[in-house]
Amino acid sequence: MFSDTLLARLKKAYTVVVLTGAGISAASGVPTFRGENGLWKKFRPEKLANFYTFSQNPELVWEWYQWRRELIYKVKPNLAHYALVDFENIFPEFCLITQNIDNLHQEAGNKKIIELHGNIMRNKCSSCGKPYEGDFDLKNGIPKCSDCGELIRPDVVWFGEFLPQEAIQKAQEMAMASEVFFSIGTSAVVEPAASLPYIAKGNGAYIVEINIEKTPLTSSADEFLQGAADKILPELVIEINKLR
Ligand code: OAD
């Protein structure tokens, strides 16, 4: 299933970088955004996940995020998440770049994570950015920032917003440094994350894509492993352990 070239690359690799998207959490029961059962189809999140809607109807936006938060509280990391914890232990230099906001990589035990789109479990002030922890009851209204009095919002990136500067910069640096770069469970269409594999490739990395279906990245990948991440990644870890 895995080519000799990939195994040889992984055998000598010092720096391995992984980019993940919603597909890695599919086996945990978190809906993806696009595709057959995608969240986007049912909820048109582009209408909800933006600052304009929040400014007009913060209750509605919060209700949607509380619903997703509750869904995520009920789920657990799957074998794909745990395989990436093994990756972190195996490779001397490792970095996990995720577009996911579901906190499942953290829960599985990865430490070297760059969150490109924030984290649904955290909150921040919508004006000054002061961080706030925990849940609150919407019946009591949306809490306000103790410093500036503006509304508190989920600490996630919305449509039309910039990614956290430090996160994307570090992600680009790691992509450049990678010897093997994995793109896992992402439709590879949302920028700037979608450019990371090309940055890696341009700097000599071997690009491996794991997805149940082809994406715009597939033709540029050195290896396309078609199938579910929770099946392929544990098998790959077994093969890597035989090499090292
Ligand atoms: P998408 O929903 O766009 O894509 C999920 C990808 O996972 C698809 O290519 C599926 O084929 C694949 N997939 C599904 N199940 C899988 C499995 N079991 N194993 C492997 N692959 C599987 O999700 P993302 O690419 O993460 O941004 O979307 C990127 C961004 O779009 C999100 O972070 C979100 C959204 O706008 C923000 O909210 C800012």
Side-chain angles (χ1 to χ4, degrees):
M1 175 188 222
F2 308 110
S3 74
D4 290 344
T5 315
L6 172 59
L7 294 177
R9 288 279 193 143
L10 289 173
K11 185 173 180 177
K12 63 174 188 132
Y14 187 84
T15 306
V16 170
V17 172
V18 173
L19 170 68
T20 63
I24 198 162
S25 298
S28 295
V30 183
T32 57
F33 294 96
R34 298 167 187 84
E36 243 343 273
N37 297 309
L39 204 56
W40 269 189
K41 277 201 175 147
K42 292 178 201 147
F43 293 97
R44 312 204 46 177
E46 69 274 23
K47 289 252 172 7
L48 291 170
N50 69 72
F51 192 78
Y52 178 75
T53 311
F54 182 75
S55 69
Q56 300 299 302
N57 193 346
E59 290 79 13
L60 174 71
V61 174
W62 257 116
E63 226 172 273
W64 187 63
Y65 277 97
Q66 294 280 51
W67 171 80
R68 286 176 66 195
R69 220 179 241 190
E70 274 156 30
L71 188 150
I72 287 164
Y73 278 139
K74 292 188 197 126
V75 304
K76 294 266 165 279
N78 64 62
L79 292 177
H81 294 104
Y82 289 116
L84 294 182
V85 181
D86 292 332
F87 269 38
E88 186 166 318
N89 294 326
I90 291 169
F91 299 107
E93 191 73 56
F94 174 78
C95 177
L96 174 50
I97 304 165
T98 189
Q99 299 165 87
N100 298 346
I101 60 171
D102 59 22
N103 210 45
L104 290 178
H105 288 305
Q106 286 85 340
E107 222 180 285
N110 276 107
K111 300 272 181 280
K112 297 174 179 173
I113 305 175
I114 297 175
E115 290 177 327
L116 292 181
H117 294 164
N119 188 310
I120 197 169
M121 299 303 168
R122 294 194 305 259
N123 313 304
K124 67 177 183 183
C125 172
S126 57
S127 176
C128 71
K130 184 178 176 181
Y132 288 89
E133 292 292 330
D135 282 325
F136 43 83
D137 193 341
L138 284 176
K139 285 193 215 95
N140 303 325
I142 298 168
K144 293 188 172 155
C145 178
S146 56
D147 279 4
C148 70
E150 293 299 327
L151 293 178
I152 291 171
R153 59 169 274 184
D155 188 2
V156 297
V157 175
W158 282 337
F159 285 94
E161 291 184 327
F162 290 114
L163 270 61
Q165 188 54 34
E166 204 183 308
I168 188 62
Q169 203 170 319
K170 181 81 184 143
Q172 287 163 344
E173 282 167 20
M174 289 310 300
M176 260 182 237
S178 66
E179 290 150 76
V180 182
F181 185 101
F182 287 85
S183 175
I184 305 174
T186 172
S187 54
V189 291
V190 176
E191 292 291 355
S195 288
L196 293 171
Y198 298 96
I199 292 175
K201 195 173 170 76
N203 284 272
Y206 191 77
I207 310 299
V208 185
E209 182 178 43
I210 301 178
N211 201 306
I212 53 171
E213 58 190 28
K214 290 185 175 171
T215 73
L217 174 66
T218 308
S219 58
S220 302
D222 295 296
E223 195 140 341
F224 175 54
L225 303 173
Q226 186 158 18
D230 63 308
K231 185 172 178 293
I232 293 173
L233 280 171
E235 286 172 10
L236 184 55
V237 168
I238 291 171
E239 294 305 316
I240 297 170
N241 281 330
K242 285 185 200 160
L243 300 170
R244 287 188 168 242

